[in-house]
Structures are given as C-alpha cells and as structure tokens.
Amino acid sequence: LPSFCKNPTDVSVSFSSIAKLLGTALSEKSEIRSVVCQSLVNLIEGSRNNDLDRNELAKFSKNYLPLLFNLYTADPVLDEPPRDPLLNCIKAYLSITNQKLLQSLFSKLLSKLQDQSSQPHVKTALEDMTIAFIPFLPHSALTDLFQLISPFLDSGDTSTQKKAYRLLSTILSCSSPDHTSFIN
C-alpha cells in the first residue's frame, strides 16, 4: 500500500472512495496501522506540488486527525505496534490542515493538556502532539501556548521544567513568519 501511495496520479479523483476504508483500517486493524499511516504520509508528501490532490486530502483532516489523536493517546497495549507512525501521520496531516480546524483542534489539545487528572501516558502523548502542532501555529496560538508553559519554566519539578523547555525550544526553532513575529 505505501508504494501505491507514492506519487499517484488520481488522488483528487479516487481518494474519497478509499478514505473511509483507510480510517476503518486505522481504528480496527492495529496490525496494519503503521502501513496505513505510512501510506497517508506518502500521499500527503506526494501532493505538495499538486493543489488539487492536497485539497482533496485536506478535506479529510477533520476525520483523520481526531481518529489519529485518539489512537495516539490510547492506553498502550503490550502487543501493539509502535506509535511513531501515528505521530508522523499526525504531523503530515497537520501540514495540510486549514487554519480554522487547526486552531480548533489546538484549543482542545491545550484544554486537555491542562487537565491535571490525565494519566501519565496521556500527558506524554499530548505533549508530543503539541510539539507536532507548533510549526503550523499562528502567532495567537503561540502566545496561548507560551502563557501556558511560562510558569513551568521555573518549576521546582525538573520533569515539568524539562517538558516546558522542550516546547519552548521547538517554538524557537521554527522559522515561519508567525514564529519570527512571536519571537520578536
């Protein structure tokens, strides 16, 4: 499947017919989840120079991203395949997601990140996803994130402090106009 998804010529016409099937495979077939994720990443990377294909794939952001988020934050199961392909797929989909949806998802992510009752594995997954969002965030969302992490930069808890600095480092390493404006 990943090979068939490298630079196909019919994404804008055919993707809608397999999108639901791929979503079902992601959620119900953990043994092929990484293959499906790699296939989606290949499709997105192959659509970089084709607006029609990229727009077709982006239409499904609202379906795939919540599914990918739920799978990534789920309680790890012993026999489950690695979760890295999920995070790579999330990053790829974020790169083509429209700003309105991106900001809505990020607001929900920040709310969940502030929830003190979250399990440790969920907190870690949310932090990973926050880092994945950072390159695509507008100035206002970067400000919200910075306000959230600022108190933790001086935290007595070294683990919390380290995570806050990891987020700050990611913000500072991006070079988009919004990031440059935020830093200045």
Side-chain angles (χ1 to χ4, degrees), residues 65-92:
L65 284 171
L67 172 63
L68 291 165
F69 293 168
N70 289 336
L71 292 170
Y72 192 72
T73 57
D75 198 2
V77 179
L78 187 60
D79 294 342
E80 195 170 90
R83 295 180 328 147
D84 292 343
L86 288 167
L87 188 60
N88 291 336
C89 194
I90 289 169
K91 289 176 186 177

Side-chain angles (χ1 to χ4, degrees), residues 101-162:
L101 177 59
L102 189 90
Q103 289 184 32
S104 170
L105 292 170
F106 187 69
S107 292
K108 291 176 186 171
L109 177 64
L110 282 184
S111 296
K112 289 182 181 183
L113 200 55
Q114 294 173 32
D115 182 3
Q116 299 302 320
S117 64
S118 294
Q119 303 254 339
H121 76 275
V122 172
K123 272 278 207 221
T124 301
L126 293 172
E127 290 160 359
D128 290 343
M129 290 189 322
T130 302
I131 288 172
F133 265 91
I134 289 174
F136 312 106
L137 294 176
H139 188 282
S140 60
L142 291 169
T143 301
D144 294 342
L145 178 59
F146 185 73
Q147 288 173 348
L148 176 70
I149 66 171
S150 290
F152 300 111
L153 295 172
D154 292 326
S155 174
D157 177 8
T158 56
S159 174
T160 303
Q161 186 181 39
K162 184 176 179 178

